[in-house]
Amino acid sequence: MASGIPIGAEDRVFVLTGAGVSAESGIPTFRGAGGVWQGYRFEDVASPHAWRRDPALVWRFYSMRRRAAADKRPNPAHLALADLEKRLGERLFLCTQNVDELHELAGSLRAVHMHGQLFMSRCDSCERPPFEDRRSYDSLDEIPQCECGGRIRPHICWFGEMPFELEPIFAALEKATLFLAVGTSGVVEPAASFVAHATGRVRTCYVGPEKPANAAMFDEIFLGKAGELLPRLFSTASIAR
Ligand code: NAD
Ligand code: ZN
């Protein structure tokens, strides 16, 4: 049985989650599906180029992902992180690469979605803020237009686009005294390099069933499923009050 990760009263914890944290909820990971999601290659449907070339195809892909995610429930890993937030408050910074809403459904109030959110859309032309949107758009004439004439697109950070919220993310990395990555393959930048900002300065841990590509950057690797390991790693006993 893995021993816990002790958290002191002054510790500030930065948690980075990836697709692996939602795997036990039935949402396929990027790699697990061999880079192909139900017949689509991510690169073909998740880029500004794809959006310009064939917006209906892009929306068919994201509509399918919305339908697939709609009935998924948080697993014990999401619940353990929500519980950790309750205990640490602002001393926990939860940064997720996931676009699903399972952290929120588990009770996390402040998850930062650096790659956007599946159930939000925004205009592709103007500054109108992103809005909640659970609809499916399966053909070109279903795609809504903004008042400005722009098209409504998924609020997702596509290949080649700048992730969201990098300023608060790097500020939190600076302050962190413990860095934990969960279920992320350590390939997609810039998230894969977050651990490098912490290495040598703070304790860095990884949780997942296999070593990530950036394994050398971690002090400790806990091999196993997030849903099984996280509730034990953060047992009440390991947190100083
Ligand atoms: P990834 O698919 O590249 O890697 C997933 C990692 O999760 C792997 O290292 C795998 O070993 C690990 N894993 C598998 N089962 C696990 C479990 N039960 N517990 C813990 N870890 C487990 O995912 P990534 O590193 O997040 O990067 C892929 C990109 O694709 C991200 O940008 C993400 O936005 C996107 N994506 C998101 C979702 C989602 O929102 N749920 C799903 C697929 C892809
Ligand atoms: Zn607009």
Side-chain angles (χ1 to χ4, degrees):
M1 174 162 166
S3 58
I5 297 178
I7 297 175
E10 302 297 318
D11 274 324
R12 301 190 81 93
V13 183
F14 188 106
V15 177
L16 171 69
T17 64
V21 85
S22 295
E24 289 158 81
S25 295
I27 299 183
T29 63
F30 183 62
R31 292 200 137 188
V36 179
W37 211 90
Q38 305 252 329
Y40 294 91
R41 284 176 61 228
F42 268 72
E43 288 83 345
D44 293 342
V45 286
S47 71
H49 175 70
W51 178 246
R52 280 193 299 273
R53 193 185 49 204
D54 194 347
L57 174 74
V58 172
W59 261 124
R60 276 202 300 282
F61 174 71
Y62 283 99
S63 298
M64 193 174 66
R65 287 187 70 188
R66 281 182 177 180
R67 288 191 292 266
D71 64 346
K72 299 298 184 283
R73 303 295 308 159
N75 68 56
H78 300 105
L79 294 169
L81 290 169
D83 184 53
L84 194 63
E85 183 188 274
K86 282 201 186 74
R87 290 187 277 159
L88 295 182
E90 291 188 350
R91 293 195 289 127
L92 174 73
F93 190 93
L94 175 58
C95 174
T96 185
Q97 297 166 87
N98 295 347
V99 299
D100 65 50
E101 57 185 355
L102 297 183
H103 283 306
E104 285 76 13
L105 289 175
S108 286
L109 299 175
R110 288 192 299 271
V112 169
H113 286 265
M114 65 179 290
H115 290 162
Q117 289 177 265
L118 188 57
F119 293 107
M120 295 193 84
S121 300
R122 71 171 195 265
C123 175
D124 72 355
S125 303
C126 75
E127 298 298 310
R128 182 186 165 196
F131 56 93
E132 186 175 345
D133 185 8
R134 294 178 178 272
R135 280 198 50 183
S136 290
Y137 306 108
D138 290 303
S139 71
L140 200 56
D141 40 278
E142 286 179 87
I143 302 174
Q145 275 203 343
C146 175
E147 289 160 17
C148 80
R151 275 202 181 111
I152 299 302
R153 60 165 274 180
H155 181 50
I156 299 279
C157 171
W158 286 328
F159 289 96
E161 293 187 316
M162 182 75 87
F164 305 108
E165 314 254 24
L166 286 180
E167 261 187 53
I169 288 171
F170 279 102
L173 280 169
E174 285 300 315
K175 284 194 271 179
T177 59
L178 172 64
F179 178 93
L180 172 71
V182 186
T184 174
S185 53
V187 175
V188 177
E189 294 291 356
S193 295
F194 288 172
V195 61
H197 289 263
T199 307
R201 188 169 55 83
V202 313
R203 186 173 176 197
T204 56
C205 306
Y206 180 82
V207 172
E210 59 194 352
K211 283 187 178 179
N214 55 353
M217 308 297 292
F218 290 93
D219 300 323
E220 273 164 286
I221 302 224
F222 297 90
L223 285 181
K225 292 183 175 180
E228 289 168 13
L229 287 183
L230 282 191
R232 286 196 250 149
L233 287 174
F234 295 126
S235 63
T236 317
S238 64
I239 298 186
R241 285 166 189 278

